[in-house]
Every structure is written in C-alpha cells, then in structure tokens.
Amino acid sequence: MRRIRIIPVLTLQNEKLVKTIRFKNPTYIGDPINAVKIFNEKEVDEIVILDITASKEKREPNYVKIEEIASEAFMPFAYGGGITNIYQIEKLFKLGIEKVVLNSILETNMSLVKEAAKIFGSQSVVASVDIKKNIFGKEQAYKISGTTKINLPLIEYIQQLENAGVGELFINSIDRDGTYQGYDLALIKQIYSLVNLPIVACGGAASVDSFLPAIQNGASAIAAGSMFVYTGSTRGILINYPKQEELVLKVYLQL
Amino acid sequence: MITIINYNAGNIKSIQNMLKRIGAKSCISADAKEIEQAEKLILPGVGHFDYGMKNLQESNLIEVLNKKVLDDKIPLLGICLGAQLLGNRSEEGVLSGLGWIDMEVVKFDKAKMPENLKIPHMSWNEIKIKKQSKLLEGLNDESRFYFVHSYHLKCKNEDDVLATTNYGYEFTSAVEKENIFGVQFHPEKSHKYGMRLLENFNRFKV
C-alpha cells in the first residue's frame, strides 16, 4: 500500500496561529504549541508552519518560537517565513526542523536553493509557490504572502526552481485558500506535466474526499489548512486530523 | 546515558528532543575522549555518504568508535545515513564505510519501480519484522515510520536483516548484528512508534 503524506499547514502571525481566506482576513485560531501537541496525538504525517508576516515586515525567522515548536514536534517539521540567507537556514536546521520552505527570496536569489541543497540535501529544501489567476484566468506566481507579483511567467519560474535543485514544490492556490472548493486540479495537472519534482498540493481542501483527485492529477503529497483547524463550514475552531482507517480506505487503497 | 555523536551531519536536536520526551538521558559529543567513556551511542546522519565518512575521519572518531563498538561491544544505533555508514560502501560515494555490517548501500532501482513512485522515498511506511529483536519489542508490521532517502541498505547476510519495507520493491529498512543496530527511517520523527523504538534502545543491555 502506497502512503501519501497528508500535511497540516499552520500559519503564524506574531507567534499566534491564524487562518486566512484567499490569503486575507487572518482569523485567530490559537496557540501553535498547543496545536502541535494535538497533532502529535493525532499522529500527523508532517507539519508545515509558515510565518506569513515575516517577509512582509522584513523580519528574520522567530528562532525562539521555532525552537519551542520543534521541541514538541515528533513528526517532520517544515518551516517557512522570512528566510533570506544560508546562515538562517543553517540555524533553523540546528533548532531541529527538517525542511525549510522558501518563497519570497526565490525570485531575486535562486542561488540560495543551490547553496542550501548542496549542504543540506535537496530533500530538505522546499520551494513554495503561491499562485493566483488574473482577471483573464492566467496563472501568476506571487511572493510576500500573495502581495507581490513575480515578474516571470509561471511555467518559466517553476522550471527555474527545478533547475536550481529544490526537493519539493509546495503549490498553494491563493484563489482556493480557505474556500473549501477542492484543489485546483487543472493547476496541479499542468505543473505535474512540467516538472519531475514531487508536488505538494495546497489550497481548497474541504475533506478527505478532496485528496484523491489531487493525487490522481499529480500531487505527491497533500497539504491543507482550514480543514485541520476548523470543524464544518461554520468554521468552529477544532484542531483535527483524519483517522488512519479513513485515510487507508478513502485514499491509500484507491491509489 | 546515550551519547549522540556529533559529526556535523545530522539532525541531532530532533533526536535529543525525542530522548528527552521519553525520559532518556543523553549528551552530544564530537570528542574522542568523551566517546571513550560512552555507555551507548547513536550515530545520526543526514546527507551524502562521503560527507559523513569524511566528517567522522576528520573528527578522529573512527578509531574510538571501532574500539567501543567492536571490542567493548556497547550498543550503537545508526539512524538514516548513520545506518548506511555501518556498511562497507555506498553507490553514492567512493569512501569506505565503517564495515561493521556486511552490506552495501545502493540507489533505489527505478527500473524495478512503478513510474509514479518518486525518489527520494519520502513518506511514512510500514516495516516487516524479520527477526525477534529487543529493539522492536512492542512494535509490529503495522508500525509506521518516516523515511527520507534515495539509497537503501542491502545485506550480504540475511541474518543481519531486522526489518524490510516496501517501496516499489522490498528493501532492508533495519539491520541488527549483536550490539549494532541501524534503521533507515527516522524514529525521532515517527511519533509513538519511534518513541517505542528509542525506549527499547534506551533499555537495551548486551
């Protein structure tokens, strides 16, 4: 039986957990340490924690908080937000994280990927690409929490990331973020046809039923935010994760 | 007390965090004199085979490790690259390994795998236990562990195989020979399963 990684994505703003809709209106969810402790109990496959205001505020990663979170994370832990150089990356790995997630720095300094992959291995370097459609339906990559357009055609940008040596592509649909509309399957399919890299699909998951189509269209791993921090469409806060039996039945055995 | 060998090639902090959680005493050392006094060793490791061997050589640790493991027979657990270094050599590099377990490290054979399986093998996966072992007490074939690797172990001697895992085909995911253990997966990142394995190692006596 082939297992796919199912990854909760937690977004941080000033050390607090928040959840956005289409990258806007961050709503307070709770304390990240508490959430990670619950995710330990639920035996989640991996967690991604993104500080969504670090790059906006030109801040370095909050090492103290990250170390605190890492000390409670008994699953693989990927961190992103405010990373601009190799020294920061080295420091982060020493704190006990497994992967760095790069985004806002990539357009201007793609060589950071090469440098990091050479020292720490490409498996520990994730490129996150936030994607939004313009009014003509054309897909465009964004940086700095979706506020700034990347001045390269999406396809070219993604190919550059692959050539630079990233280990994974974290594809986040801004349009689907927090909407429960399901993953953007056409987008996943398009990127899958372009690159040989594992794709982590994010944005739009409503329930376990959203996972299989994303995998069938090329995702190697599944990420989601809202469905793991809210219960139901009324968005009552509840840190949750599907049971193994449900994942086996509805996802793994269907592959 | 478990001594975690610090040769600049590993996720030492995660291992230390997990040992702390299970109440096992641990320290980190790159010093041959300290390692000479160790009761139990963990050889962590992430990265390139030659980089790992080179760092062990440059830290002047190979002699003391040979003595502790082969003569004094203290328990040693190699994790990920640390498990691979227990073998003779690797397709990834040109340097000789520690040679404590008669095995090679080979790249995943794409020709034997379905196309949709990517390399590295980066996922949770189950183990199939091949022999009775104190290291895997309380664990079974449903126990899941986190893997991230492009190369895998290949034992010459079936008796050294402790567990196998299937990724496209069956490969050796854990080895055991007397006081020497190696696991390809990351127990420090594998929830209660990894906790149990490390508890077992902490309790293990030769």
Side-chain angles (χ1 to χ4, degrees), chain A residues 2-196:
Chain A
R2 177 176 163 219
R3 283 175 190 276
I4 293 287
R5 285 172 292 140
I6 312 285
I7 309 169
V9 181
L10 300 175
T11 39
L12 285 184
Q13 187 178 42
N14 306 321
E15 304 193 352
K16 291 184 178 73
L17 215 56
V18 296
K19 184 66 201 97
T20 53
I21 298 176
R22 296 191 179 91
F23 279 33
K24 294 205 169 82
N25 307 320
T27 305
Y28 177 70
I29 299 291
D31 172 58
I33 307 279
N34 264 338
V36 168
K37 284 182 177 169
I38 297 169
F39 282 133
N40 274 330
E41 280 166 34
K42 310 256 177 218
E43 297 176 14
V44 305
D45 290 341
E46 186 169 332
I47 48 163
V48 172
I49 295 192
L50 303 173
D51 184 335
I52 55 171
T53 48
S55 290
K56 244 186 224 170
E57 296 165 0
K58 299 190 167 54
R59 255 192 307 110
E60 281 203 53
N62 180 341
Y63 301 110
V64 175
K65 201 71 193 170
I66 295 163
E67 184 172 18
E68 202 185 335
I69 297 171
S71 71
E72 291 294 339
F74 300 110
M75 71 294 263
F77 169 16
Y79 168 80
I83 303 170
T84 56
N85 66 52
I86 196 77
Y87 305 104
Q88 296 168 342
I89 293 176
E90 189 183 356
K91 201 165 168 178
L92 286 164
F93 284 128
K94 282 200 172 136
L95 298 179
I97 70 155
E98 273 64 45
K99 299 176 189 180
V100 286
V101 182
L102 305 178
N103 182 328
S104 299
I105 188 66
L106 291 170
E107 187 188 19
T108 48
N109 185 8
M110 195 78 75
S111 61
L112 182 60
V113 170
K114 229 171 240 171
E115 213 179 337
K118 196 170 165 226
I119 303 175
F120 305 104
S122 57
Q123 84 289 337
S124 59
V125 184
V126 182
S128 101
V129 185
D130 299 328
I131 298 167
K132 189 157 69 176
K133 283 186 180 138
N134 68 14
I135 48 167
F136 307 108
K138 194 170 178 301
E139 281 132 353
Q140 190 74 45
Y142 280 74
K143 60 183 180 180
I144 316 178
S145 297
T147 59
T148 311
K149 203 186 283 181
I150 286 175
N151 287 316
L152 267 179
L154 177 65
I155 292 175
E156 208 172 302
Y157 180 58
I158 282 180
Q159 281 165 340
Q160 283 190 16
L161 291 171
E162 182 172 38
N163 293 336
V166 301
E168 283 185 294
L169 274 181
F170 187 92
I171 299 296
N172 201 350
S173 163
I174 298 175
D175 302 312
R176 302 282 174 118
D177 174 50
T179 64
Y180 296 104
Q181 290 171 344
Y183 291 97
D184 187 337
L185 302 177
L187 177 67
I188 296 167
K189 197 171 181 175
Q190 187 199 351
I191 293 171
Y192 179 70
S193 69
L194 278 177
V195 292
N196 217 350

Side-chain angles (χ1 to χ4, degrees), chain A residues 2-3 5 40 43-45 67 70-76 94-96 98-99 123 196 244, chain B residues 13-14 17-18 21 46 116-118 120 122-124 126 144 146 148 188-193 195:
Chain A
R2 177 176 163 219
R3 283 175 190 276
R5 285 172 292 140
N40 274 330
E43 297 176 14
V44 305
D45 290 341
E67 184 172 18
S71 71
E72 291 294 339
F74 300 110
M75 71 294 263
K94 282 200 172 136
L95 298 179
E98 273 64 45
K99 299 176 189 180
Q123 84 289 337
N196 217 350
Q244 274 301 307
Chain B
K13 192 65 188 286
S14 309
N17 285 339
M18 183 68 111
R21 164 56 54 100
V46 170
N116 62 356
L117 293 187
K118 301 263 177 193
M122 186 193 283
S123 90
W124 286 74
E126 286 152 13
R144 284 178 289 129
Y146 178 67
V148 47
E188 76 280 11
K189 286 283 156 181
S190 298
H191 296 305
K192 66 179 182 205
Y193 311 102
M195 269 178 212

Side-chain angles (χ1 to χ4, degrees), chain B residues 20-38:
Chain B
K20 193 173 158 198
R21 164 56 54 100
I22 62 171
K25 284 192 183 130
S26 71
C27 63
I28 291 173
S29 180
D31 180 77
K33 281 198 199 94
E34 279 171 30
I35 289 174
E36 172 69 50
Q37 303 301 314

